Amino acid sequence: MATLTMVQAIARTLAEEMSRDERVVVLGEDVGKRGGVFLATEGLLERFGPDRVIDTPLSEAAIIGAAVGMAAHGLRPVAEIQFADYIFPGFDQLATQAAKLRYRSGGQFTAPMVVRMPSGGGVRGGHHHSQSPEAHFAHTAGLKVVVVSTPYDAKGLLKAAIRDDDPVVFLEPKRLYRATREEVPDDDYVVPIGKAAVRREGTDLTIIGYGTSMPEVLKAGDELAKAGISAEILDLRSLVPWDIEAVMRSVAKTGRVVLVADAPRLSGVLGEIAATIAEELFDQMLAPPVRVAGFDTPYPYAQDKLYLPTVTRILNAAKQVLEY
């Protein structure tokens, strides 16, 4: 069992899936000889050749459009967008073509493709390299949306995404690429899409997060424990579908919930989850749901760290629901 960073786990998983299934191909800007801007495809060109590891032009529309065509004709493409911020020139192909292919063909065609994207901030990338655009994809029927936070999950969820018969948007928080290491089994395991992970058991309140926010959420849980407060921590991992059963079970137990993400607050995924909790568990809640999110501004450069949810902001939200 190897101890890997997230980006190492992703690179190994791509190699494993390409070895397992010759239909899996990788395409994107600089994914070949360069190995990707974050080296997530390092070594694949030498191992699998230019027919399966394809350096594309600098055109997201071409990347996603080609992936849709490949998927419709029986391949399983894994397209890399260098930064999630760059997806928008290819958003039409993703939302209008890939997401609708099964429905509009009456099930005759599917789009078994993965679109990998480094997302989120915290690396001083400025407003064109730090956004968290997951709400755009979550609002598009026909797409599955995954956001990983650990090397173990990166392997298991990427395998699940590649083997899925529908398009999966696979968001990789770039701040976590090399932030931690953990043991990743050599075995061929899959983490099911749509299942949250309970990172800590608790009874006093529930804290729900995903992706880039998870290290701060876990630190906040440690601080609350020092004060004698038992926080249950859920890592959503999948945003579409999201694990409504796990969320409702936890919040029904604790009666209080704080939701955390670095994406903008307005019309975000957290709002959907908070609304569902309020609709389903209103009579069992001891306090209204509270969101801790990014701000409704372009992502800043100079105030990079201030934009993201901090431990202090999470603790203040926890205090708010506990003292309600």
Side-chain angles (χ1 to χ4, degrees):
M1 184 181 297
T3 301
L4 304 175
T5 64
M6 181 187 290
V7 76
Q8 289 172 333
I10 290 167
R12 288 198 179 195
T13 302
L14 290 171
E16 289 177 14
E17 289 300 292
M18 294 181 77
S19 296
R20 184 190 65 84
D21 187 345
E22 64 180 11
R23 297 174 299 171
V24 178
V25 298
V26 170
L27 69 156
E29 299 164 8
D30 298 324
V31 298
K33 186 175 181 180
R34 173 74 174 87
V37 68
F38 293 102
L39 303 183
T41 56
E42 187 176 26
L44 296 182
L45 177 63
E46 292 78 9
R47 184 169 175 180
F48 298 101
D51 289 339
R52 295 184 65 196
V53 182
I54 304 166
D55 276 323
T56 67
L58 301 181
S59 171
E60 286 71 30
I63 294 169
I64 304 301
V68 174
M70 290 176 177
H73 283 82
L75 298 177
R76 289 186 174 266
V78 181
E80 178 182 297
I81 303 298
Q82 279 194 348
F83 291 87
D85 315 61
Y86 298 169
I87 184 59
F88 297 105
F91 191 79
D92 178 45
Q93 286 77 6
L94 185 58
T96 305
Q97 304 302 328
K100 308 296 189 295
L101 187 58
R102 178 190 287 275
Y103 184 85
R104 71 191 294 234
S105 69
Q108 296 181 77
F109 295 96
T110 60
M113 55 183 280
V114 179
V115 183
R116 294 182 41 251
M117 295 184 243
S119 67
V123 296
R124 297 184 66 81
H127 52 282
H128 283 156
H129 299 81
S130 304
Q131 297 175 82
S132 297
E134 55 265 25
H136 293 283
F137 312 120
H139 192 67
T140 302
L143 298 177
K144 296 179 180 178
V145 184
V146 171
V147 189
V148 294
S149 68
T150 70
Y152 178 92
D153 285 351
K155 176 177 177 176
L157 282 164
L158 184 54
K159 282 180 175 286
I162 291 172
R163 299 176 191 185
D164 201 287
D165 287 332
D166 289 298
V168 180
V169 173
F170 196 87
L171 296 169
E172 303 162 3
K174 66 181 77 70
R175 187 163 69 121
L176 304 184
Y177 266 153
R178 295 175 174 84
T180 60
R181 293 175 177 269
E182 71 173 348
E183 290 187 340
V184 178
D186 297 326
D187 300 340
D188 181 29
Y189 68 90
V190 170
V191 174
I193 294 174
K195 295 296 182 182
V198 179
R199 302 299 187 195
R200 179 197 287 267
E201 300 277 355
T203 56
D204 294 328
L205 79 155
T206 299
I207 306 178
I208 299 171
Y210 61 87
T212 305
S213 69
M214 285 311 300
E216 277 62 45
V217 168
L218 293 168
K219 290 174 186 175
D222 292 339
E223 293 300 314
L224 289 168
K226 292 176 184 177
I229 299 167
S230 175
E232 182 148 294
I233 296 176
L234 267 61
D235 182 347
L236 286 177
R237 303 195 292 195
S238 297
L239 305 184
V240 180
W242 60 278
D243 194 343
I244 188 170
E245 292 183 5
V247 168
M248 296 304 162
R249 183 168 55 248
S250 178
V251 178
K253 176 174 65 174
T254 65
R256 302 177 177 90
V257 61
V258 173
L259 303 105
V260 186
D262 63 331
R265 176 186 175 93
L266 181 65
S267 301
V269 173
L270 297 185
E272 170 64 24
I273 297 171
T276 305
I277 291 170
E279 289 171 351
E280 299 293 331
L281 299 176
F282 183 80
D283 292 340
Q284 300 176 59
M285 296 296 292
L286 301 174
V290 174
R291 289 171 288 167
V292 180
F295 299 102
D296 298 320
T297 68
Y299 195 97
Y301 178 77
Q303 294 83 25
D304 181 69
K305 300 296 184 183
L306 296 178
Y307 182 92
L308 300 173
T310 61
V311 173
T312 298
R313 289 176 63 197
I314 298 169
L315 291 176
N316 287 339
K319 183 174 185 289
Q320 182 179 337
V321 299
L322 288 166
E323 294 182 352
Y324 180 79

